[in-house]
Amino acid sequence: MTLTTETLTTSGTPAARRTAAAPGTPRPATPPKATPPTAVRPTPTPPTPTPPTATPPKATPPEAPKATRALSPAAVPPLAPGALPGLGHAAALLRDPLGFLGSLARHGGVVRIRLGPRTVCVVTDAPLVHALLTTHAHGCPRGAVQDTLRTAFGDGLLMSEGQAHRDRRRVIQPAFGPDRMAGYIAVMHRVTEERAARWRPGQVLDVAKEMNHLALEIVTRSLFDARLSEDATLAFHRALPDLVKGQIVQSLYPHPAMARLPLPVNRRFDAAVRVLNRVVDQAVNGRAAKGGPTDGGPAGTLPAVLRAATDPATGRPLTEADVRSEAITMFGAGTETVSTTLTWLIDELLRHPEVEARVLAELDEHLPAGTVPTPEALARLTYTRAVTQEVVRLHAPNAFLMRTAQLPVELGPYRIPAGTELLYSLTALHRDPVRHPDPLAFRPERWQDGGAGRQSYLPFGAGKHKCIGEAFAWAELTVAAAAILRRWRPVAVPGARAREVVWTTVQAHGLRVRLAPRESGGGRQETAAGRCPADPPTLRPATHPVRRPARPAAELAAATARHADWAVDRGLLTRAELARYQAYTLPELIGHAYPRTRGADLDLLIDVLGWFTILDDRFDGSPGRRPGEARAIVDPLIAVLDGAAPAVGDDRLTAAWRELWHRQTGPASPAWRARAAREWQACLATFPAEAEHRAHGTVPRLGLAETMRLRRHSSCLYPFMNILERVHGADAPAALHAEPALHRLRAHTADAATLINDLYSLQREERQGAAAFNTVLALQRLRGCTRARAVGAVRARVAQLRNESALLRRELLRRHPESDWYLDGTRELVDGVQAWTSTSRRYH
């Protein structure tokens, strides 16, 4: 089932990350000096079917539209900058639709853009989109794209509005009632098991194609209790791209008559509609569609339910055209977006094997192998549900949705004239750093903390058009993923990871995996962190070549001596403590990790690392176990980042940090300063968080994902990646920072360096009195592994991260050759950590 009820998209590239205001900060409402919006004609609003919901929140009852009463003075939405003569913003939208739409929020909660002669208002703030779909749903129906899709989908639930929509929804609702879910889930499980059983060890799987076939078969057999022929299945999948592209192109025609011209795109669209009709006829007119089940599915198929119903408006039975229209809707809604989400789910598990390990552990506990899932069993898979929610958030399928204001309405502080086209992007909304902190990071644990609220998470829409099949879709995602992961371990094929391609949905193209059987029981051999392969029992330095410092040894020695004087003069160390501290050889780490840095920049890096190490050592004592003491140390440091004036009682650690912060930011750009402040704050905040866990005895119960999240930020790797730009003397290009691939590379860099540190700091951390946050210890505890196997799993994960990072660097270098210095710097940072930790007396 699709994840919304309407869709309009164009081809494009991954979304750009934009600067976040503090959570809760209102969007700017002051309009720029611009002409009021030009008159606009009603525009297309492409519908796409939607998947079912598990336990949908109670929708807010629609209010009478504000347009029915006199509107108070309100702001004209600001016009986005960068419009080109004649084209407006069309070029930017076509070139990078998600990046462009994601960038608009900085200009306001509603922003005007120009697409040729048309003006469209883009709603960028999630609560305003929620209001558009609920409070203003009556006055803002879907637009002219319905006319395009009506050719393919007829006048069913997807296309109807008002009372006709409510009547048809009441007719269809019983087919998605809670009493039918157990039957659907059993069929989903059986279909997935049968398909996965046909795969072979070593087979290279085109994941997107295979998930598309799987989703189509699940819909066909669960809702229609039918089996499509192989020819019909292949024809359906070949027809979908032409249907989608034709829908987009025809919705942009200046006159509807152009859809009847014998243009190639129109001919392909018409042929796709004919194919879709033939496939649906095969399912609708089969033996099972007219009566009871033939495949062990739920009693009464969707066509049978529809044929037994009466039209509330006329009191007469639904026509065969009505039955076919709803069937086509379910086929369109139940395949592409769910299959795309399953593809992204597999891709994210490949990137985060610790998440995959935790999902498998939860399946072992609540859904033992060989059992058929039930709704009650799925409800117990709370972490797996969090993983699917995070996949749907990060990869929301619907990039463009549209409404048309039939009457004047107010959205927040903005006045929207009648006739205005309104566009919003669920993908951009779900990547909003204001509502979803660190939006491009894959963090399932955010949903275990309650998520961001229903107004900020709208994968199935909201209000009267919210997807009727949401519960069906959540169940399908979970059941299919569970059946596949139990039988097979996907292994990434180098250079064949998923990439975003924007059409009607944000599709996952290019993912190919090699299948390895997943053996059950204690003897299974798996190499991802989070499981326990047999591995060498001893720690030893990696054989990965380390790039040695290029500067003269005397310069590093001089910087080391100067740093010792700085630390003593600042009161961070006494002369008596200096010998033990110098045995850590921290400047050697900087020498390896930043081989070309010299002079004042070299001094800055050594001082920052030394200060952070002294801070970290302080938490080996009571502050590491007492949250109040931890906050007393950290809060003044974070206040420095916020620009707080020096306090009379600044302790020596805070005073030294204030001086270091000024040295870091003095010559830096505002964008760099803001990014560095955010990442230093995230780093410093981990100290009280770890103290809370120790104080409440929750360290042993932490999962690998939470342990890795804390370790990733507590190791200060993100701030030190920012310093690459500071010592280079220029920011990395904004286009590079907007790349999701760069965010993955930075996360891989932080994780690899952190895991290397965990390997070598293991014995030191075990000697501490407080419970240690160490991935090796967490893995050994959670999986019941021997120490040797836990070490082996972490080492294997480091090797995997290095390999994936190399692929990401090559991918980014092709698009951003001018940023080779930054990309090389991420590799040198990991190499430097490896070279130093394997020899430093801090750990040996």
Side-chain angles (χ1 to χ4, degrees):
M1 317 246 81
T2 78
L3 300 184
T4 70
T5 51
E6 354 165 46
T7 318
L8 172 65
T9 55
T10 51
S11 62
T13 55
R17 181 176 185 172
R18 51 191 162 73
T19 304
T25 304
R27 305 281 186 179
T30 307
K33 295 177 182 178
T35 57
T38 57
V40 287
R41 57 185 178 81
T43 95
T45 322
T48 17
T50 46
T53 75
T55 40
K58 294 179 181 177
T60 307
E63 304 171 2
K66 292 184 181 178
T68 60
R69 59 182 184 270
L71 292 175
S72 58
V76 174
L79 179 67
L84 299 176
L87 293 175
H89 300 92
L93 182 64
L94 290 171
R95 182 172 58 248
D96 181 5
L98 298 182
F100 173 68
L101 293 174
S103 71
L104 296 178
R106 68 179 65 129
H107 304 296
V110 181
V111 180
R112 286 180 295 136
I113 63 172
R114 290 190 176 133
L115 302 177
R118 297 157 54 186
T119 296
V120 175
C121 284
V122 180
V123 187
T124 68
D125 185 57
L128 295 185
V129 172
H130 188 269
L132 176 65
L133 301 179
T134 54
T135 306
H136 302 294
H138 176 76
C140 298
R142 291 169 294 193
V145 172
Q146 290 181 203
D147 295 334
T148 301
L149 290 182
R150 191 168 281 114
T151 305
F153 292 107
D155 293 310
L157 183 68
L158 185 64
M159 311 310 305
S160 56
E161 287 283 356
Q163 187 62 44
H165 177 84
R166 289 192 289 273
D167 289 345
R168 186 57 57 85
R169 192 178 182 97
R170 282 198 294 271
V171 167
I172 297 173
Q173 189 66 59
F176 293 101
D179 57 315
R180 301 174 67 85
M181 285 308 300
Y184 289 148
I185 288 170
V187 176
M188 294 170 187
H189 175 71
R190 184 163 56 254
V191 169
T192 309
E193 286 284 350
E194 290 171 4
R195 190 157 200 96
R198 295 199 290 268
W199 302 339
R200 293 291 175 262
Q203 177 182 349
V204 174
L205 208 65
D206 182 331
V207 178
K209 179 180 178 181
E210 195 66 23
M211 294 304 102
N212 217 311
H213 282 265
L214 174 63
L216 177 62
E217 192 171 358
I218 286 175
V219 167
T220 305
R221 288 174 58 180
S222 57
L223 294 181
F224 297 87
D225 199 11
R227 292 176 184 263
L228 295 178
S229 67
E230 188 65 21
D231 288 345
T233 300
L234 292 174
F236 179 85
H237 292 303
R238 284 196 294 263
L240 274 181
D242 290 332
L243 186 72
V244 169
K245 293 173 186 176
Q247 164 206 338
I248 294 167
V249 172
Q250 291 187 13
S251 70
L252 297 176
Y253 284 155
H255 193 279
M258 290 188 66
R260 297 192 292 273
L261 297 177
L263 302 174
V265 66
N266 293 340
R267 291 201 303 271
R268 288 193 294 268
F269 177 79
D270 293 341
V273 170
R274 288 193 295 272
V275 168
L276 185 59
N277 283 326
R278 284 199 303 270
V279 171
V280 170
D281 283 342
Q282 191 178 121
V284 167
N285 296 322
R287 180 164 55 92
K290 301 188 182 291
T294 64
D295 193 31
T301 64
L302 177 63
V305 169
L306 293 171
R307 287 182 174 117
T310 57
D311 186 336
T314 65
R316 292 192 294 270
L318 298 182
T319 66
E320 282 302 302
D322 293 330
V323 173
R324 291 184 70 266
S325 176
E326 301 306 343
I328 291 175
T329 295
M330 296 306 158
F331 268 96
T335 52
E336 187 185 18
T337 53
V338 167
S339 66
T340 297
T341 303
L342 281 170
T343 304
W344 283 120
L345 173 60
I346 292 173
D347 186 72
E348 290 296 349
L349 293 181
L350 287 170
R351 299 178 191 280
H352 301 88
E354 73 283 359
V355 174
E356 182 193 23
R358 190 168 170 186
V359 168
L360 287 167
E362 188 174 66
L363 293 175
D364 288 342
E365 181 178 358
H366 298 297
L367 194 60
T371 61
V372 176
T374 63
E376 295 74 23
L378 297 187
R380 292 192 291 269
L381 301 177
T382 56
Y383 183 73
T384 304
R385 175 59 180 264
V387 170
T388 57
Q389 285 179 292
E390 180 67 349
V391 171
V392 170
R393 180 201 66 80
L394 183 56
H395 303 290
N398 300 98
F400 298 85
L401 303 172
M402 295 187 75
R403 316 291 286 186
T404 299
Q406 289 186 335
L407 301 168
V409 295
E410 285 182 2
L411 283 176
Y414 304 103
R415 178 187 174 90
I416 309 299
T420 300
E421 297 175 289
L422 294 155
L423 181 149
Y424 60 97
S425 167
L426 290 184
T427 312
L429 291 175
H430 289 176
R431 294 176 180 180
D432 181 356
V434 174
R435 308 289 174 183
H436 304 277
D438 200 6
L440 295 181
F442 182 74
R443 286 177 39 204
E445 61 271 16
R446 74 174 82 223
W447 299 103
Q448 296 179 305
D449 300 331
R454 63 175 182 159
Q455 292 191 2
S456 299
Y457 185 61
L458 304 167
F460 296 93
K464 65 179 184 176
H465 287 288
K466 189 174 185 181
C467 173
I468 197 171
E470 184 179 350
F472 186 102
W474 284 125
E476 183 179 358
L477 291 172
T478 305
V479 170
I484 291 168
L485 293 174
R486 279 199 179 286
R487 184 182 290 265
W488 297 104
R489 178 167 61 86
V491 179
V493 173
R497 303 308 293 266
R499 67 183 187 278
E500 288 184 334
V501 175
V502 185
W503 277 105
T504 302
T505 54
V506 184
Q507 298 171 352
H509 280 201
L511 179 62
R512 291 186 297 131
V513 300
R514 192 177 303 278
L515 296 172
R518 194 183 298 280
E519 300 175 13
S520 59
R524 69 185 179 209
Q525 300 291 309
E526 303 184 19
T527 57
R531 296 179 295 281
C532 304
D535 236 276
T538 56
L539 295 173
R540 57 183 186 272
T543 56
H544 187 83
V546 174
R547 190 169 175 177
R548 308 304 298 177
R551 72 182 64 75
E555 184 172 355
L556 192 60
T560 300
R562 187 214 56 80
H563 170 68
D565 292 338
W566 176 85
V568 171
D569 292 344
R570 283 284 170 181
L572 301 176
L573 296 169
T574 66
R575 287 289 173 186
E577 296 168 324
L578 196 56
R580 178 174 177 273
Y581 171 77
Q582 287 182 310
Y584 294 168
T585 61
L586 292 171
E588 292 291 333
L589 171 53
I590 297 301
H592 290 308
Y594 300 86
R596 288 169 298 284
T597 303
R598 310 183 70 169
D601 289 332
L602 180 64
D603 291 339
L604 171 65
L605 284 164
I606 293 174
D607 287 349
V608 171
L609 179 62
W611 173 87
F612 184 80
T613 304
I614 293 166
L615 170 70
D616 186 61
D617 283 351
R618 184 173 292 193
F619 287 89
D620 291 347
S622 63
R625 301 183 296 276
R626 297 176 181 173
E629 289 185 27
R631 285 191 290 272
I633 294 171
V634 166
D635 286 350
L637 304 177
I638 292 176
V640 171
L641 302 173
D642 294 334
V648 174
D650 261 6
D651 67 7
R652 292 171 180 178
L653 199 66
T654 304
W657 174 237
R658 192 180 300 278
E659 187 254 342
L660 286 173
W661 181 241
H662 288 318
R663 281 164 62 188
Q664 289 178 71
T665 59
S669 70
W672 185 93
R673 190 179 301 117
R675 186 166 62 251
R678 285 197 304 272
E679 293 182 349
W680 271 118
Q681 182 170 353
C683 171
L684 295 170
T686 60
F687 289 109
E690 290 181 355
E692 290 278 0
H693 283 299
R694 292 192 184 102
H696 294 95
T698 54
V699 178
R701 296 196 296 275
L702 281 183
L704 287 171
E706 177 64 10
T707 301
M708 276 305 302
R709 187 183 71 80
L710 286 169
R711 298 291 295 121
R712 176 186 295 161
H713 288 287
S714 68
S715 60
C716 78
L717 267 300
Y718 276 111
F720 268 85
M721 278 186 275
N722 283 334
I723 292 179
L724 283 169
E725 298 171 273
R726 164 65 178 75
V727 299
H728 181 72
D731 291 9
L736 177 67
H737 276 297
E739 289 269 14
L742 180 70
H743 294 279
R744 291 197 296 273
L745 175 61
R746 282 165 59 88
H748 280 16
T749 300
D751 285 353
T754 297
L755 291 174
I756 290 168
N757 186 274
D758 281 356
L759 288 170
Y760 290 100
S761 65
L762 184 57
Q763 294 178 352
R764 179 180 187 271
E765 291 176 345
E766 279 192 302
R767 289 194 298 269
Q768 296 171 2
F773 286 87
N774 183 289
T775 314
V776 176
L777 297 176
L779 182 58
Q780 187 179 1
R781 179 178 66 245
L782 292 168
R783 294 286 168 261
C785 297
T786 64
R787 174 62 55 82
R789 289 190 173 189
V791 166
V794 173
R795 290 181 46 136
R797 177 58 175 156
V798 171
Q800 181 184 7
L801 288 168
R802 283 186 182 278
N803 291 335
E804 292 182 2
S805 295
L807 294 173
L808 288 168
R809 274 190 286 269
R810 285 200 291 272
E811 174 189 336
L812 289 166
L813 190 59
R814 284 196 297 270
R815 293 197 291 272
H816 306 280
E818 74 288 353
S819 301
D820 56 344
W821 58 272
Y822 186 94
L823 301 173
D824 285 345
T826 61
R827 175 180 54 77
E828 291 167 345
L829 188 54
V830 176
D831 289 348
V833 169
Q834 174 73 67
W836 176 76
T837 52
S838 62
T839 57
S840 172
R841 287 180 59 188
R842 179 174 170 83
Y843 302 132
H844 296 276

